[in-house]
Amino acid sequence: MTKYPATLSGGMQQRVALARVLMEDKPIVLMDEPFSALDTVTRYQLQTLFAQYLTKRTVLLVTHDPLEALRLGHQLVILQDRPSTLKSLDLALSEPPPRSLDNLALLQRHSELLTYLGEG
C-alpha cells in the first residue's frame, strides 16, 4: 500500500525525514528539532542511532531540550538575551555521545544547565 507524506502522522513524517538524513552521505548535517515529534522511547532510540551513524560528520543540532543537547553534543552553544548573543559552554563530560541517561556527570551537568537557563 502506498502512502503519501501528507497522510502520515507528524511522528511518522519525522521518521521518514530522519531516514533520509541517514541515507545521504553529506559531511555536514543540519538538524532542527529532529526528535521533537517522537514518543520518549523512540526519541531515545533514534538519538542513539544518529549519534552512532553520524560520528564522522559535523552535525549542527538545534534543540530546546537541554538533556538532549548534553546527551548528544560535543559543544553546547546557547542563544540568549535580547539582542541575542551566543554563549558557548564547556560540557566537561568524558564519555562520548551518545551519553547514557544514568551517567552521573551528565545528570549533574543537566541540573547545572537548568539552573543556568532559569537564571538567564
Side-chain angles (χ1 to χ4, degrees):
M1 174 154 90
T2 302
K3 293 209 177 215
Y4 292 98
T7 65
L8 299 175
S9 69
M12 196 57 94
Q13 288 179 21
Q14 198 145 11
R15 288 181 210 174
V16 170
L18 290 168
R20 284 195 325 251
V21 169
L22 289 178
M23 297 300 293
E24 296 175 345
D25 189 23
K26 305 290 184 183
I28 299 174
V29 178
L30 306 176
M31 302 177 82
D32 185 7
E33 296 283 348
F35 309 109
S36 62
L38 303 173
D39 64 88
T40 303
V41 173
T42 303
R43 180 182 186 125
Y44 181 83
Q45 291 169 337
L46 288 179
Q47 287 173 347
T48 301
L49 179 73
F50 270 75
Q52 292 168 346
Y53 276 94
L54 299 177
T55 55
K56 304 274 190 231
R57 303 184 205 181
T58 299
V59 179
L60 175 63
L61 171 70
V62 176
T63 182
H64 289 90
D65 183 344
L67 185 57
E68 181 173 85
L70 290 167
R71 182 168 186 261
L72 299 177
H74 289 282
Q75 182 178 5
L76 185 64
V77 178
I78 298 173
L79 181 66
Q80 64 185 38
D81 299 327
R82 295 202 192 281
S84 294
T85 58
L86 294 176
K87 172 145 175 116
S88 183
L89 299 177
D90 180 19
L91 294 181
L93 294 166
S94 59
E95 182 182 334
R99 296 176 184 94
S100 173
L101 293 177
D102 63 0
N103 177 323
L104 294 178
L106 173 75
L107 297 175
Q108 177 63 35
R109 292 294 288 158
H110 183 241
S111 176
E112 293 167 6
L113 182 55
L114 289 176
T115 299
Y116 172 81
L117 294 171
E119 293 171 355

